[in-house]
């Protein structure tokens, strides 16, 4: 099962890279980190921001790895963010939603076989970004899992997007 997870991760990582073939469609790419609850984990990952697919609307696919609480998560998210313009401010708050594929590996006590399974889950997103002096963007975001199949229930993330 672990080999299948690795292959799925590799394929999932290649999908967003195909957007680079389009040229200037990818606005930025970057790193993210934070924590989640239920399971309580350290979360590390990466993302890209594509377009404005419509006015103030971006497509933001990302990959997240969660470690801790005897669970390992590999999550592929397909998020959409609607950005608000604030007059007189460089901050850009956003709201969004997304769907994700969660590959879950549960480490059970000795004598029991570890368990792994896959879930599809949705999430509601609230965040804000601000430009840095170098023209990149720093962001913070809150993701709330939707439905009973949501794993994790809540994520708090910060990250850095580098202009493409």
């Amino acid at each position: 099962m672990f080999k299948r997870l690795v292959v799925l991760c590799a394929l999932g990582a290649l999908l967003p890279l195909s957007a680079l073939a389009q040229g200037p469609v990818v606005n930025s790419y970057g790193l993210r980190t934070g924590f989640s609850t239920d399971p309580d984990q350290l979360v590390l990952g990466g993302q890209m921001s594509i377009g404005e697919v419509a006015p103030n609307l971006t497509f933001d696919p990302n990959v997240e790895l969660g470690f801790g609480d005897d669970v390992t998560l590999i999550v592929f998210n397909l998020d959409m963010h609607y950005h608000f313009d604030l007059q007189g401010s460089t901050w850009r708050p956003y709201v969004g939603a997304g769907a994700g594929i969660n590959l879950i590996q549960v480490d059970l006590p000795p004598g029991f076989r570890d368990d792994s399974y896959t879930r599809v889950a949705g999430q509601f997103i609230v965040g804000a970004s601000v430009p840095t002096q170098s023209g990149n963007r720093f962001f913070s975001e809150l993701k709330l899992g939707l439905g009973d199949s949501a794993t994790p229930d809540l994520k708090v993330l910060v990250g850095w997007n580098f202009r493409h």
Side-chain angles (χ1 to χ4, degrees):
M1 183 63 179
F2 184 72
K3 290 179 184 178
R4 280 189 233 163
L5 289 177
V6 171
V7 170
L8 284 172
C9 290
L11 290 174
L14 291 176
L15 287 175
L17 291 177
S18 65
L20 294 173
Q22 296 291 324
V25 173
V26 176
N27 293 344
S28 63
Y29 56 91
L31 302 172
R32 57 180 46 220
T33 188
F35 64 90
S36 69
T37 62
D38 197 20
D40 299 334
Q41 293 189 314
L42 170 66
V43 178
L44 304 170
Q47 77 276 336
M48 59 180 25
S49 182
I50 299 174
E52 277 202 0
V53 294
N56 294 322
L57 187 67
T58 59
F59 175 56
D60 299 272
N62 58 78
V63 176
E64 297 170 344
L65 304 173
F67 306 98
D69 214 7
D70 295 322
V71 177
T72 302
L73 283 174
I74 302 170
V75 182
F76 301 100
N77 293 310
L78 302 173
D79 297 342
M80 297 290 284
H81 296 164
Y82 181 83
H83 302 266
F84 298 94
D85 290 320
L86 298 179
Q87 273 188 325
S89 177
T90 57
W91 283 88
R92 269 196 98 189
Y94 58 88
V95 295
I101 298 172
N102 299 339
L103 306 171
I104 303 161
Q105 172 77 35
V106 180
D107 298 326
L108 297 174
F112 296 94
R113 289 186 63 168
D114 289 348
D115 192 15
S116 62
Y117 51 96
T118 304
R119 287 191 176 162
V120 176
Q123 57 215 357
F124 177 71
I125 304 162
V126 177
S129 66
V130 64
T132 62
Q133 289 182 355
S134 62
N136 299 317
R137 293 192 79 79
F138 173 80
F139 72 90
S140 63
E141 143 177 317
L142 179 75
K143 287 186 171 186
L144 179 62
L146 301 174
D148 290 339
S149 66
T151 303
D153 289 341
L154 174 71
K155 288 183 192 172
V156 177
L157 301 160
V158 296
W160 207 277
N161 284 326
F162 304 97
R163 287 188 341 200
H164 179 64

